[in-house]
Structure formats: C-alpha cells, structure tokens
Amino acid sequence: DTGVSQDPRHKITKRGQNVTFRCDPISEHNRLYWYRQTLGQGPEFLTYFQNEAQLEKSRLLSDRFSAERPKGSFSTLEIQRTEQGDSAMYLCASSRAPGPLYEQYFGPGTRLTVT
Amino acid sequence: AQSVTQLGSHVSVSEGALVLLRCNYSSSVPPYLFWYVQYPNQGLQLLLKYTSAATLVKGINGFEAEFKKSETSFHLTKPSAHMSDAAEYFCAVSELHGSGNTGKLIFGQGTTLQVKP
C-alpha cells in the first residue's frame, strides 16, 4: 500500500492556460473521488468514478473541467481556460468500495495558483 | 440534504489541556460521520468514524468522539493536547440519498487547533 499520489504537487499557471492534474489511487481501490479545497474552507466534492465510469459530477464542475479514469486506474482532471477563481487545492481520494464502511484515503493534493 | 457545521474556526489550548472541537450535523436519516485531520501542505487523514455501531468512537492519536442523536452532535475530544496535535480538523458526513450511499463526503469548514506550550 503505497498510498494515493498526485502530480504535480504545485502548479502555477497564467489565466487562460489549460492545466492537467494526475491522481494515482491505491491499486485495489475501485472508487476515486476528486475534491476542491479553497483557503479556509473544507473540501468540496467535484466528481467520482466507480472503476472507469464517472458516476456523478458536482454543479461546481463547469464545462471547463473534465475528468477521466481510463481503464479504471489513474485519473486526470483537466481545467481549460483557467480563471483566477480556479486557484485552490485539488484533492484526490480513493476507496475500496462505495459507502462509509470503507475509508477514503486522500492524496497530498495539487495546489493550483492562477495568476 | 445533509450538512455539517463546525462551531469555532480557531481553537487554542495549552499543552496538556482538554481538546474539544465541535461538530453538528443535519440529516433526515441516521448519518455516517467522520473526523479528518490535515497537516500543512498535506492531504486528509481519517481520525475516526461513526457508522451506527457504538456511539462513543475511539480513533487514532488518543482522539475520540461521541455521537449524540438528541443534540445532532459529533464533538471531537482528546484529554490532553500535544504540540503535534496542532492542525486543521474537519468533520464530515457521508452523503445519503434515495438510491443509497454514494460515499462522497460533505465537509464542515474546518477548525484550526493551536496548541500553546
């Protein structure tokens, strides 16, 4: 169990640029979640996958955001035409199965700064 | 819809003193509740969870929480604070809806715990 990893840890980009983040979940986990955390706030749900299927997207996820999980392994989160309001910590979590009985393990996050 | 409210965005205690972090929830059905800790520039780590078994839940690092349905509360406590407990603490509820549990978490706004020597 090597834990959930995220890459990059930090990203600084200019407004209008596209960025892509990667999350590698714990290998046997079939659930993968993305959350966004702004300064001084708790994480907010963005989207989640069961294997390769994206089952739900939050209203926070505008058309500029897209997430994939090809082959049910790693996941990517892309933000197109970044805006300053996108500056936040993007957290990924994985779990063995749905439901509260299975702990969500969080990665260290990717901190995005849009200038 | 479920929600979580954490009372007090900042709590300061002296080393060795009791830690009490407050969390109240709103849910029309029995909730599943969690406490997570976040150290600077790190992800979240689960401290403990309530899943309708014992109302007093013991977690890691000496923390515990008691589920009180009558008060809709799930406060986090630790008898004696240690300097290493200084961090951000989040209370969360697992979302429930008609088709069951999605597993996604709804978090409170967090409480920063400061421990003074």
Side-chain angles (χ1 to χ4, degrees):
Chain A
D1 180 353
T2 57
V4 178
S5 62
Q6 293 187 245
D7 184 68
R9 293 291 306 276
H10 303 274
K11 179 70 176 179
I12 300 174
T13 191
K14 293 185 178 180
R15 188 175 53 190
Q17 297 295 306
N18 299 344
V19 293
T20 299
F21 309 141
R22 176 178 171 127
C23 171
D24 286 89
I26 294 171
S27 59
E28 65 268 25
H29 287 184
N30 53 19
R31 273 282 176 116
L32 188 148
Y33 301 82
W34 284 98
Y35 295 87
R36 182 172 69 186
Q37 184 180 21
T38 54
L39 204 60
Q41 302 294 319
E44 295 176 293
F45 168 79
L46 291 179
T47 187
Y48 78 94
F49 294 83
Q50 171 85 14
N51 298 315
E52 67 274 10
Q54 187 173 18
L55 298 185
E56 185 177 343
K57 294 192 294 185
S58 163
R59 285 171 292 180
L60 294 174
L61 221 60
S62 76
D63 292 343
R64 297 183 296 105
F65 287 71
S66 62
E68 295 182 339
R69 193 184 181 196
K71 303 179 183 178
S73 56
F74 70 91
S75 176
T76 58
L77 178 67
E78 180 183 15
I79 309 175
Q80 296 183 327
R81 305 180 303 282
T82 52
E83 301 173 355
Q84 286 188 322
D86 297 331
S87 295
M89 174 79 87
Y90 290 84
L91 294 165
C92 174
S94 71
S95 70
R96 190 182 300 273
L101 297 180
Y102 297 95
E103 176 182 349
Q104 287 188 30
Y105 291 82
F106 282 80
T110 294
R111 183 169 296 283
L112 173 65
T113 302
V114 181
T115 62
Chain B
Q2 290 117 323
S3 65
V4 167
T5 302
Q6 291 183 241
L7 301 175
S9 58
H10 288 84
V11 170
S12 181
V13 300
S14 298
E15 191 174 18
L18 171 72
V19 175
L20 171 61
L21 304 182
R22 300 177 187 274
C23 173
N24 287 87
Y25 69 89
S26 173
S27 178
S28 58
V29 296
Y32 297 124
L33 295 160
F34 306 80
W35 274 100
Y36 282 85
V37 62
Q38 185 177 35
Y39 297 99
N41 299 314
Q42 294 187 26
L44 280 71
Q45 181 183 10
L46 181 68
L47 281 175
L48 49 80
K49 62 183 179 183
Y50 168 75
T51 56
S52 74
T55 57
L56 182 61
V57 181
K58 294 187 183 299
I60 61 172
N61 301 338
F63 285 94
E64 63 182 36
E66 186 172 8
F67 173 73
K68 292 187 176 180
K69 184 178 178 181
S70 61
E71 299 178 7
T72 62
S73 70
F74 190 56
H75 301 331
L76 182 70
T77 60
K78 182 174 181 178
S80 177
H82 193 273
M83 296 297 290
S84 61
D85 294 327
E88 186 90 14
Y89 291 81
F90 294 96
C91 183
V93 62
S94 185
E95 188 198 59
L96 292 165
H97 58 59
S99 62
N101 191 292
T102 68
K104 72 184 190 188
L105 298 172
I106 301 164
F107 288 88
Q109 291 191 317
T111 298
T112 301
L113 176 65
Q114 180 187 23
V115 182
K116 298 179 290 185

